[in-house]
Amino acid sequence: METDEDAYRGNCGWRVKAEKNYFEGLRDSIPAGLKDRLVIKVEKAKTVELVERALELANKEPQYRIPWIVFDRDQVKDFDDIILAAEKSGVGAGWSNPCFEIWMYAYFGEMPAIWESYTCCDRFADKFEKVTGQKYFKKDKDIYRKLVQYGDEQKAIQIAGRCCRKCVDDGKDKPSEMWPACMVQGLVEEIRLKIQL
Protein backbone atom coordinates (compact mmCIF):
# COMPACT_ATOMS: atom_id res chain seq x y z
CA MET A 1 0.00 0.00 0.00
CA GLU A 2 1.46 3.31 -1.05
CA THR A 3 1.02 6.07 1.45
CA ASP A 4 1.96 9.72 1.53
CA GLU A 5 2.03 11.67 4.78
CA ASP A 6 0.49 14.73 3.13
CA ALA A 7 -2.13 13.03 1.02
CA TYR A 8 -4.45 10.08 0.85
CA ARG A 9 -6.45 9.31 -2.23
CA GLY A 10 -8.68 6.28 -2.50
CA ASN A 11 -11.63 4.96 -4.38
CA CYS A 12 -14.34 2.53 -3.43
CA GLY A 13 -16.28 0.29 -5.77
CA TRP A 14 -19.87 -0.42 -4.79
CA ARG A 15 -22.90 -2.36 -6.00
CA VAL A 16 -25.91 -1.04 -4.10
CA LYS A 17 -27.04 2.22 -2.54
CA ALA A 18 -26.28 1.34 1.11
CA GLU A 19 -22.53 1.18 0.46
CA LYS A 20 -22.56 4.21 -1.84
CA ASN A 21 -24.50 6.38 0.58
CA TYR A 22 -22.40 5.27 3.55
CA PHE A 23 -19.09 6.13 1.87
CA GLU A 24 -20.35 9.37 0.38
CA GLY A 25 -21.43 10.34 3.90
CA LEU A 26 -18.01 9.41 5.26
CA ARG A 27 -16.40 11.46 2.48
CA ASP A 28 -18.63 14.43 3.27
CA SER A 29 -17.67 14.22 6.98
CA ILE A 30 -14.02 14.98 6.22
CA PRO A 31 -13.05 18.38 7.66
CA ALA A 32 -12.95 21.14 5.02
CA GLY A 33 -9.23 21.73 5.54
CA LEU A 34 -8.43 18.14 4.56
CA LYS A 35 -10.80 17.69 1.62
CA ASP A 36 -8.11 18.62 -0.93
CA ARG A 37 -5.64 16.10 0.54
CA LEU A 38 -8.00 13.29 1.53
CA VAL A 39 -10.15 12.38 -1.44
CA ILE A 40 -12.62 9.51 -1.56
CA LYS A 41 -14.08 8.74 -4.95
CA VAL A 42 -17.07 6.39 -5.02
CA GLU A 43 -17.58 4.48 -8.27
CA LYS A 44 -20.13 1.91 -9.35
CA ALA A 45 -19.07 -1.37 -10.98
CA LYS A 46 -20.34 -4.90 -11.38
CA THR A 47 -18.97 -7.09 -8.59
CA VAL A 48 -16.90 -9.25 -10.94
CA GLU A 49 -15.32 -6.08 -12.36
CA LEU A 50 -14.55 -4.31 -9.07
CA VAL A 51 -10.84 -5.14 -8.93
CA GLU A 52 -10.28 -4.31 -12.57
CA ARG A 53 -12.18 -1.01 -12.23
CA ALA A 54 -10.27 -0.02 -9.07
CA LEU A 55 -6.93 -0.68 -10.80
CA GLU A 56 -8.09 1.16 -13.91
CA LEU A 57 -8.99 4.23 -11.85
CA ALA A 58 -5.74 4.06 -9.87
CA ASN A 59 -3.69 3.86 -13.09
CA LYS A 60 -5.71 6.54 -14.87
CA GLU A 61 -5.76 8.97 -11.96
CA PRO A 62 -2.54 8.59 -9.96
CA GLN A 63 -3.89 10.81 -7.17
CA TYR A 64 -6.00 7.78 -6.14
CA ARG A 65 -3.11 6.00 -4.47
CA ILE A 66 -4.89 3.46 -2.31
CA PRO A 67 -7.67 1.68 -4.21
CA TRP A 68 -10.33 -0.28 -2.31
CA ILE A 69 -13.36 -2.27 -3.34
CA VAL A 70 -16.42 -2.70 -1.12
CA PHE A 71 -18.92 -5.50 -1.61
CA ASP A 72 -20.81 -8.19 0.27
CA ARG A 73 -21.24 -11.94 0.00
CA ASP A 74 -24.94 -11.75 -0.77
CA GLN A 75 -25.23 -14.22 -3.67
CA VAL A 76 -21.82 -13.32 -5.11
CA LYS A 77 -20.68 -16.46 -6.89
CA ASP A 78 -16.92 -15.82 -6.81
CA PHE A 79 -16.75 -13.98 -3.47
CA ASP A 80 -13.48 -15.57 -2.26
CA ASP A 81 -11.85 -15.33 -5.70
CA ILE A 82 -12.63 -11.61 -5.97
CA ILE A 83 -11.06 -10.98 -2.55
CA LEU A 84 -8.00 -13.04 -3.49
CA ALA A 85 -7.65 -11.16 -6.81
CA ALA A 86 -7.87 -7.85 -4.95
CA GLU A 87 -5.19 -8.89 -2.45
CA LYS A 88 -2.87 -10.09 -5.25
CA SER A 89 -3.37 -6.79 -7.11
CA GLY A 90 -2.74 -4.56 -4.12
CA VAL A 91 -6.38 -3.48 -3.88
CA GLY A 92 -7.97 -3.35 -0.43
CA ALA A 93 -11.11 -5.47 -0.08
CA GLY A 94 -13.76 -4.14 2.27
CA TRP A 95 -16.01 -7.20 2.14
CA SER A 96 -18.99 -8.03 4.35
CA ASN A 97 -20.51 -11.41 5.13
CA PRO A 98 -23.45 -11.76 4.79
CA CYS A 99 -24.18 -8.13 3.76
CA PHE A 100 -23.08 -4.54 4.31
CA GLU A 101 -25.69 -4.12 7.03
CA ILE A 102 -23.66 -6.42 9.30
CA TRP A 103 -20.98 -3.70 9.35
CA MET A 104 -23.54 -1.02 10.15
CA TYR A 105 -24.97 -3.28 12.88
CA ALA A 106 -21.61 -3.01 14.66
CA TYR A 107 -22.20 0.72 15.22
CA PHE A 108 -24.91 -0.34 17.66
CA GLY A 109 -22.62 -2.65 19.63
CA GLU A 110 -23.06 -6.08 18.05
CA MET A 111 -22.60 -8.24 14.99
CA PRO A 112 -25.13 -11.04 15.43
CA ALA A 113 -24.55 -14.45 13.83
CA ILE A 114 -26.83 -14.14 10.80
CA TRP A 115 -26.23 -16.20 7.66
CA GLU A 116 -28.86 -14.88 5.22
CA SER A 117 -28.60 -11.38 3.79
CA TYR A 118 -32.32 -10.70 3.79
CA THR A 119 -32.57 -11.72 7.46
CA CYS A 120 -29.60 -9.52 8.30
CA CYS A 121 -31.16 -6.54 6.48
CA ASP A 122 -34.51 -7.06 8.24
CA ARG A 123 -32.93 -7.41 11.67
CA PHE A 124 -30.69 -4.41 11.10
CA ALA A 125 -33.74 -2.37 10.05
CA ASP A 126 -35.44 -3.35 13.32
CA LYS A 127 -32.34 -2.46 15.36
CA PHE A 128 -31.90 0.82 13.49
CA GLU A 129 -35.49 1.82 14.19
CA LYS A 130 -35.21 0.89 17.89
CA VAL A 131 -32.01 2.91 18.31
CA THR A 132 -32.81 5.93 16.12
CA GLY A 133 -36.61 6.02 16.11
CA GLN A 134 -36.42 6.16 12.30
CA LYS A 135 -37.04 3.66 9.52
CA TYR A 136 -34.01 2.24 7.71
CA PHE A 137 -33.82 2.65 3.95
CA LYS A 138 -30.88 1.48 1.81
CA LYS A 139 -31.27 4.67 -0.21
CA ASP A 140 -30.88 6.92 2.87
CA LYS A 141 -28.24 9.47 1.86
CA ASP A 142 -27.81 10.44 5.50
CA ILE A 143 -27.02 6.92 6.77
CA TYR A 144 -23.41 7.62 7.75
CA ARG A 145 -24.32 10.67 9.83
CA LYS A 146 -27.08 8.73 11.59
CA LEU A 147 -24.78 5.83 12.40
CA VAL A 148 -22.18 8.17 13.87
CA GLN A 149 -24.85 10.15 15.76
CA TYR A 150 -26.63 7.16 17.30
CA GLY A 151 -23.83 4.59 17.30
CA ASP A 152 -20.12 4.32 18.03
CA GLU A 153 -17.72 4.08 15.10
CA GLN A 154 -14.65 3.19 17.17
CA LYS A 155 -16.58 0.42 18.89
CA ALA A 156 -17.81 -0.81 15.48
CA ILE A 157 -14.20 -1.08 14.30
CA GLN A 158 -13.28 -3.07 17.42
CA ILE A 159 -16.30 -5.38 17.16
CA ALA A 160 -15.66 -6.11 13.47
CA GLY A 161 -12.00 -6.88 14.18
CA ARG A 162 -12.94 -9.17 17.07
CA CYS A 163 -15.48 -11.06 14.89
CA CYS A 164 -12.86 -11.63 12.18
CA ARG A 165 -10.33 -12.90 14.71
CA LYS A 166 -12.92 -15.27 16.18
CA CYS A 167 -13.67 -16.71 12.74
CA VAL A 168 -9.95 -17.32 12.14
CA ASP A 169 -9.58 -18.84 15.62
CA ASP A 170 -12.51 -21.15 14.76
CA GLY A 171 -10.58 -22.39 11.71
CA LYS A 172 -12.48 -20.44 9.06
CA ASP A 173 -9.95 -19.19 6.55
CA LYS A 174 -12.15 -18.23 3.58
CA PRO A 175 -14.16 -15.00 3.80
CA SER A 176 -17.23 -16.87 2.50
CA GLU A 177 -17.03 -19.09 5.62
CA MET A 178 -16.51 -16.17 7.99
CA TRP A 179 -19.80 -14.85 9.32
CA PRO A 180 -20.67 -12.59 10.78
CA ALA A 181 -17.58 -10.79 9.60
CA CYS A 182 -16.38 -7.91 7.49
CA MET A 183 -13.26 -6.02 6.55
CA VAL A 184 -14.93 -2.66 5.91
CA GLN A 185 -13.44 -1.50 9.21
CA GLY A 186 -9.97 -1.59 7.62
CA LEU A 187 -10.91 1.10 5.14
CA VAL A 188 -12.84 3.20 7.68
CA GLU A 189 -9.97 3.00 10.14
CA GLU A 190 -7.44 3.98 7.45
CA ILE A 191 -9.49 7.04 6.56
CA ARG A 192 -10.02 8.00 10.22
CA LEU A 193 -6.27 7.71 10.92
CA LYS A 194 -5.49 9.99 7.98
CA ILE A 195 -7.98 12.56 9.27
CA GLN A 196 -6.23 12.60 12.65
CA LEU A 197 -2.72 13.19 11.20
Side-chain angles (χ1 to χ4, degrees):
M1 177 186 300
E2 183 180 342
T3 59
D4 180 336
E5 295 221 9
D6 295 324
Y8 170 85
R9 310 263 195 250
N11 59 290
C12 306
W14 59 277
R15 288 190 317 128
V16 295
K17 288 203 178 276
E19 290 95 324
K20 175 185 183 289
N21 291 334
Y22 175 89
F23 281 103
E24 285 179 349
L26 175 57
R27 177 194 64 204
D28 294 346
S29 76
I30 295 170
L34 292 176
K35 287 196 180 203
D36 62 335
R37 295 184 306 155
L38 183 61
V39 178
I40 300 171
K41 184 172 184 174
V42 181
E43 290 280 326
K44 183 177 182 178
K46 292 179 181 176
T47 307
V48 295
E49 299 170 356
L50 285 174
V51 175
E52 183 180 313
R53 181 72 178 136
L55 290 171
E56 180 183 303
L57 284 170
N59 289 331
K60 189 167 149 184
E61 301 180 51
Q63 72 270 23
Y64 299 112
R65 294 190 178 107
I66 306 173
W68 277 77
I69 59 172
V70 176
F71 69 110
D72 54 39
R73 179 192 49 84
D74 182 39
Q75 300 179 13
V76 173
K77 182 181 165 196
D78 298 321
F79 185 70
D80 295 321
D81 294 337
I82 294 167
I83 294 166
L84 186 60
E87 290 170 354
K88 286 182 178 179
S89 301
V91 173
W95 54 267
S96 303
N97 188 359
C99 59
F100 191 72
E101 281 75 6
I102 202 68
W103 160 244
M104 295 192 296
Y105 224 122
Y107 275 80
F108 302 136
E110 62 181 310
M111 285 181 77
I114 304 170
W115 171 248
E116 298 292 339
S117 292
Y118 61 86
T119 303
C120 184
C121 290
D122 288 348
R123 287 187 46 198
F124 174 73
D126 291 342
K127 181 75 169 186
F128 184 85
E129 188 170 0
K130 284 178 189 167
V131 173
T132 68
Q134 302 169 43
K135 295 264 186 214
Y136 169 67
F137 298 101
K138 283 182 174 278
K139 62 184 179 181
D140 184 352
K141 292 189 178 286
D142 220 15
I143 191 65
Y144 180 77
R145 185 193 60 75
K146 291 175 183 176
L147 290 169
V148 171
Q149 178 182 353
Y150 293 99
D152 185 329
E153 189 166 78
Q154 191 57 43
K155 186 174 274 187
I157 290 168
Q158 293 168 356
I159 289 167
R162 189 170 56 242
C163 284
C164 282
R165 285 189 300 278
K166 182 179 180 337
C167 287
V168 171
D169 291 347
D170 290 345
K172 300 173 183 175
D173 58 356
K174 291 182 182 178
S176 60
E177 299 170 343
M178 300 170 71
W179 58 272
C182 70
M183 290 302 292
V184 177
Q185 73 275 11
L187 175 55
V188 174
E189 190 168 34
E190 177 76 24
I191 292 167
R192 286 284 154 222
L193 288 171
K194 296 296 180 185
I195 289 172
Q196 293 172 8
L197 288 178

